[in-house]
Each structure stands twice: as C-alpha cells, then as structure tokens.
Amino acid sequence: PGAHDPRQDAKWALELALYEASIHPATTKPLKLLSFPKTIFLSEIPKGATAKELGAFFGHGTCAEVSFHLQSELGSWLGTTTVTFGSQAERDKAFNELPRFVRVYVGPLRDWAGRTDLAKMQAQLKEHFLKFGRVRSCRVMCPRAFPGQSALPFCLLECHPTAARVVLTNRQAQSFPGHRTLFKVSLAEAEANETRCAVPLSKNGSFLARLG
C-alpha cells in the first residue's frame, strides 16, 4: 500500500458528514388513537352488581365479567367492565336508550351571593333535594364576574328521572330554610354529542357508561 494521505481522509470525512446531513431524519406517522366503535365501557359499578344485571340494560350486547378494585380515596370497591355489540349502530342505539340520571339547573342562588364555601353549599342543596328522590351529585359553581357586574352562584343537580320530575313540578323544591329566596329549576342543556352518562340501578346505586 502507498503512503497514507491524511488530507484525503479529511476530504472523505467531510463528504460523508455533508451527505449524512443532507438525509432527512426518518419520521413515523402519528399513532392513531385507539377506537372501539362496538364497545361501551362501564365504570363506577357498585360492589354486588353482576354482569347479568348490567347486561339487562343492553339488549343484544355481550357483557364481560365485572372486575372490582378498591378505590383508596373513597374507601369502597367499584367495578369496571365492557359491553360489546355486533355493530356500531347497535352500540349507539343501546347507549341512546339507556335510562340515565337527569341534569337539572338550579339558580341563580341569590341568597348565597359572595359565599365561597362550596362544599357546605353543595351539602345543603343535596340534603334539600334528597327529599324529592334519588340524587347522584350536586355541584355548585360560582362564575367569575365581569368588572362592574355581579355573578351569582348556581348548581347543576344530577338526579333520578323520577326525582327530576318532582323537582321540576313542585314549588316546594324552589326554596328551603337555608335559601329562602325562590330559585329557578329547569332541565340543563344536554351536551352535544354526549359520549357518557350515569345510569341508575334498580337499587340505590348507579354506574357510568362511556362510548369507546
């Protein structure tokens, strides 16, 4: 072999570096979000509920066994499972026909203007509305006021359809000793393209149903 030429080595190294720099790095296509067009996911199932009991809500769907897990923050056991259908159309039809808790708007709560103790307000309202039937949740919100204006708190109540019917037609539901001024109760606007709902069980319990 001939004498080693360091200049030639440097030239080759430079050409190789320029070539590698000209190659665009390999890219991967964005991952598709997992989709389950034939499945309804169930969660927050109370302990004791069976796949047979849950399956009765879904007609032609196949309900898997319920898996229960201890919820440390709640100190209770809640389950999850899935219901599978033959087509997306069957799934959507079953979801739309589910009985569900009704959302009711309560407010404005004029007597509570300026209050910030939301937990206590929610407890007072829930205690009041429990007199009319099953209540799943009660959430008080205090909107932020624009400059020069006042904003009054209101509540979104989630209750059993039977309870909602009573609340919406009984004037006694529109005030109580903790809030003597009358407030309005009306059906809350449904969310567009709703993909989840709370379903009441025959006993005092419920579960969440969610589209995949």
Side-chain angles (χ1 to χ4, degrees):
H4 180 70
D5 186 351
R7 289 178 299 178
Q8 185 64 43
D9 289 347
K11 181 180 178 183
W12 285 340
L14 177 61
E15 290 175 349
L16 180 61
L18 291 173
Y19 171 74
E20 290 178 342
S22 69
I23 300 175
H24 295 288
T27 58
T28 57
K29 295 181 179 179
L31 294 175
K32 291 184 178 180
L33 294 175
L34 292 177
S35 177
F36 302 89
K38 301 178 183 180
T39 304
I40 296 178
F41 293 84
L42 310 186
S43 60
E44 299 186 18
I45 302 168
K47 190 169 179 61
T50 64
K52 181 179 180 180
E53 180 184 6
L54 296 169
F57 286 93
F58 297 100
H60 301 295
T62 301
C63 186
E65 286 299 316
V66 182
S67 176
F68 288 97
H69 305 275
L70 178 62
Q71 308 298 309
S72 56
E73 66 277 8
L74 300 175
S76 59
W77 291 80
L78 294 176
T80 59
T81 190
T82 57
V83 185
T84 305
F85 297 84
S87 68
Q88 182 173 348
E90 288 182 6
R91 181 204 68 170
D92 293 349
K93 182 175 185 294
F95 180 80
N96 291 331
E97 291 178 350
L98 282 173
R100 58 194 68 195
F101 281 87
V102 178
R103 283 191 292 269
V104 175
Y105 168 87
V106 178
L109 303 169
R110 301 183 186 280
D111 290 6
W112 291 356
R115 283 184 62 173
T116 57
D117 52 337
L118 296 183
K120 186 174 181 180
M121 295 159 71
Q122 288 169 172
Q124 287 180 278
L125 281 168
K126 189 170 183 178
E127 181 182 9
H128 167 62
F129 286 111
L130 278 171
K131 299 172 185 175
F132 305 99
R134 290 170 61 183
V135 174
R136 183 175 185 273
S137 67
C138 178
R139 186 158 55 103
V140 173
M141 283 164 278
C142 298
R144 181 175 296 179
F146 291 103
Q149 298 181 357
S150 60
L152 297 172
F154 65 93
C155 167
L156 286 179
L157 189 71
E158 200 172 33
C159 52
H160 191 278
T162 303
R165 190 178 304 114
V166 177
V167 167
L168 293 168
T169 57
N170 191 333
R171 187 174 177 82
Q172 292 182 1
Q174 299 175 24
S175 68
F176 62 100
H179 191 291
R180 297 192 177 280
T181 302
L182 291 178
F183 44 75
K184 178 183 177 183
V185 291
S186 61
L187 286 176
E189 292 185 12
E191 298 177 6
N193 301 319
E194 188 174 49
T195 59
R196 57 178 289 168
C197 66
V199 181
L201 290 167
S202 56
K203 299 178 181 178
N204 287 329
S206 63
F207 62 88
L208 286 181
R210 175 178 60 84
L211 297 181

